[in-house]
């Protein structure tokens, strides 16, 4: 005769459900796999499509064949897309936490506008024409605007609302300046028309080497801010009670976002919506914990950017559509959906 085990014993022997942490870890590993596949597609797909074997041969057994040359050219583009995508996603996530606005992006604090205005100035008035030349102007323009926003936002007394208002005002003024210069100078317009929409097509090893240190420093700093930003999300008083230094956290968050977004904008131009969409989508399945949002945004933002770049190469083949245009086309409807959903949730 069979005897049922007591409920306590059955509970002890029953398999434990997977923890939320394990599920998130598995999801992050899956995201890395997706990123690897998209990176492979970025190298293989273009005006001339390559097989997986050709990509492998070009990466690991370079012998100077046509396929190897194509791989070499596309590899720099793919690596820059990986770095810039991660930087935009991380900076967007940090700014959304800093401003407590889930619809914020790197453009909110004027960082994109600062980089763009500096590059237009360099091209128009200083005669700088090469990417390796104006990448430094773009970065320092972004840094200068970041510092100005911090100062106008109140410095040590800065609040999310003050920072957002200061960034919006400065962005409007700088974009007005940018449009005026480009309208009055046809040469500047011709030189800047691809950079201002955002593109990976000019990627070179030299550009990557120039911006790589900034990507590395900004990434480490942003990831290290996860815990203090989590504390600040619960309100200033609670954050202080938990031991968070509000002024230091806000200053370092501004620095991390400026370094990351400035480097990405310097290398690729102002690419919109990546820093807005990915952190917002990630938050929907990770929850508000930045210890998970930041790693996920680091991995999934390059998926969006490289995927958009691949789409841009395919839809108008043999020509190509700039990646900034593709992300804007994708991001517009997504942004409208996010705003409507947020408004519905508040009703």
């Amino acid at each position: 005769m069979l005897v049922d085990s007591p409920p306590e014993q059955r509970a002890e022997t029953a398999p434990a459900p997977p923890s939320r942490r394990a599920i998130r870890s598995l999801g992050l590993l899956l995201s890395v796999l997706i990123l690897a596949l998209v990176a492979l597609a970025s190298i293989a797909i273009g005006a001339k499509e390559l097989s997986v074997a050709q990509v492998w041969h070009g990466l690991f057994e370079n012998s100077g064949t046509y396929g190897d040359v194509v791989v070499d050219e596309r590899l720099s583009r793919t690596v820059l897309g990986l770095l810039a995508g991660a930087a935009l996603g991380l900076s967007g996530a940090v700014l959304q936490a800093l401003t407590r606005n889930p619809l914020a992006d790197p453009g909110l604090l004027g960082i994109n506008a600062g980089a763009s205005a500096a590059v237009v100035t360099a091209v128009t008035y200083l005669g700088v024409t090469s990417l390796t030349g104006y990448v430094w102007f773009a970065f320092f323009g972004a840094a200068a605007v970041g510092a100005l926003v911090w100062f106008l936002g109140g410095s040590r007394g800065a609040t999310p609302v003050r920072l957002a208002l200061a960034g919006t005002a400065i962005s409007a003024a700088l974009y007005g300046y940018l449009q005026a210069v480009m309208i009055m100078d046809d040469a500047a317009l011709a030189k800047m028309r691809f950079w201002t929409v955002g593109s990976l097509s000019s990627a070179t090893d030299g550009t990557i080497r120039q911006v790589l240190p900034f990507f590395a420093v900004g990434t480490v700093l942003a990831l290290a801010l996860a815990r203090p930003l989590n504390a600040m999300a619960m309100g200033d008083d609670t954050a202080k009670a938990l031991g968070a230094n509000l002024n230091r956290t806000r200053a370092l968050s501004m620095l991390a976002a400026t370094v990351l977004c400035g480097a990405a904008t310097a290398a690729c131009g102002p690419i919109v919506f990546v820093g807005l969409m990915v952190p917002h989508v990630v938050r929907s399945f990770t929850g508000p914990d930045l210890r998970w949002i930041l790693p996920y945004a680091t991995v999934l933002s390059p998926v969006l950017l490289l995927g958009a770049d691949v789409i841009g190469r395919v839809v108008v083949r043999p020509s190509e559509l700039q990646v900034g245009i593709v992300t804007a086309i994708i991001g517009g409807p997504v942004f409208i959906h996010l705003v409507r959903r947020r408004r519905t949730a508040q009703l």
Side-chain angles (χ1 to χ4, degrees):
M1 182 176 66
L2 298 176
V3 179
D4 288 340
S5 302
E8 295 82 359
Q9 184 176 347
R10 289 200 303 269
E12 290 176 1
T13 58
S19 67
R20 188 172 180 85
R21 182 183 181 87
I23 294 174
R24 287 170 171 172
S25 300
L26 182 61
L28 190 58
L29 290 175
L30 179 61
S31 300
V32 172
L33 177 60
I34 294 172
L35 176 59
L37 294 175
V38 173
L40 178 63
S42 176
I43 297 174
I45 299 174
K48 166 67 177 178
E49 291 197 14
L50 303 176
S51 66
V52 175
Q54 286 177 303
V55 173
W56 180 271
H57 190 277
L59 289 174
F60 301 105
E61 303 174 15
N62 198 319
S63 60
T65 65
Y66 175 77
D68 296 344
V69 173
V70 173
V71 169
D72 286 343
E73 292 176 352
R74 294 180 187 170
L75 184 59
S76 296
R77 182 172 184 157
T78 301
V79 171
L80 184 58
L82 288 169
L83 295 173
L88 291 172
L90 263 179
S91 60
V94 168
L95 289 176
Q96 287 175 13
L98 175 64
T99 61
R100 298 174 194 167
N101 180 1
L103 299 180
D105 75 334
L108 180 67
L109 298 186
I111 298 172
N112 285 345
S116 300
V119 171
V120 168
T121 300
V123 170
T124 305
Y125 299 113
L126 302 179
V128 179
T129 58
S130 67
L131 178 63
T132 55
Y134 59 64
V135 69
W136 293 103
F137 287 92
F139 178 77
F140 287 118
V145 169
L148 182 59
V149 168
W150 175 250
F151 174 76
L152 294 178
S155 300
R156 291 184 176 275
T159 64
V161 174
R162 288 181 179 179
L163 291 174
L165 289 175
T168 301
I170 292 173
S171 292
L174 289 178
Y175 277 125
Y177 163 76
L178 187 151
Q179 295 298 326
V181 171
M182 294 179 67
I183 288 174
M184 293 186 296
D185 191 332
D186 292 338
L189 177 60
K191 294 172 184 175
M192 294 296 299
R193 60 193 179 101
F194 288 113
W195 188 87
T196 52
V197 298
S199 174
L200 298 175
S201 59
S202 300
T204 64
D205 292 342
T207 303
I208 293 172
R209 284 193 296 269
Q210 282 183 306
V211 297
L212 184 58
F214 299 106
F215 285 132
V217 171
T219 298
V220 171
L221 182 57
L223 293 175
L225 289 169
R227 288 184 181 274
L229 285 174
N230 273 343
M232 287 179 58
M234 294 184 284
D236 289 358
D237 292 337
T238 304
K240 289 179 181 178
L242 293 173
N245 186 319
L246 301 185
N247 291 328
R248 183 177 63 189
T249 301
R250 286 178 179 139
L252 291 177
S253 297
M254 280 289 299
L255 178 61
T258 299
V259 170
L260 288 169
C261 186
T265 305
C268 309
I271 298 175
V272 297
F273 285 116
V274 175
L276 164 66
M277 284 191 294
V278 176
H280 194 87
V281 171
V282 165
R283 193 179 297 106
S284 67
F285 59 82
T286 65
D289 191 346
L290 284 159
R291 292 175 299 176
W292 290 101
I293 292 175
L294 295 180
Y296 266 99
T298 304
V299 175
L300 292 179
S301 296
V303 171
L304 173 61
L305 188 61
L306 289 176
D309 189 45
V310 171
I311 292 172
R313 293 185 231 172
V314 172
V315 292
V316 291
R317 190 182 287 172
S319 184
E320 71 175 63
L321 202 59
Q322 304 302 312
V323 66
I325 298 174
V326 180
T327 58
I329 293 172
I330 297 173
V334 172
F335 181 74
I336 293 172
H337 170 71
L338 294 177
V339 171
R340 287 179 60 87
R341 190 176 70 175
R342 179 172 173 80
R343 181 181 177 184
T344 302
Q346 291 175 340
L347 295 178

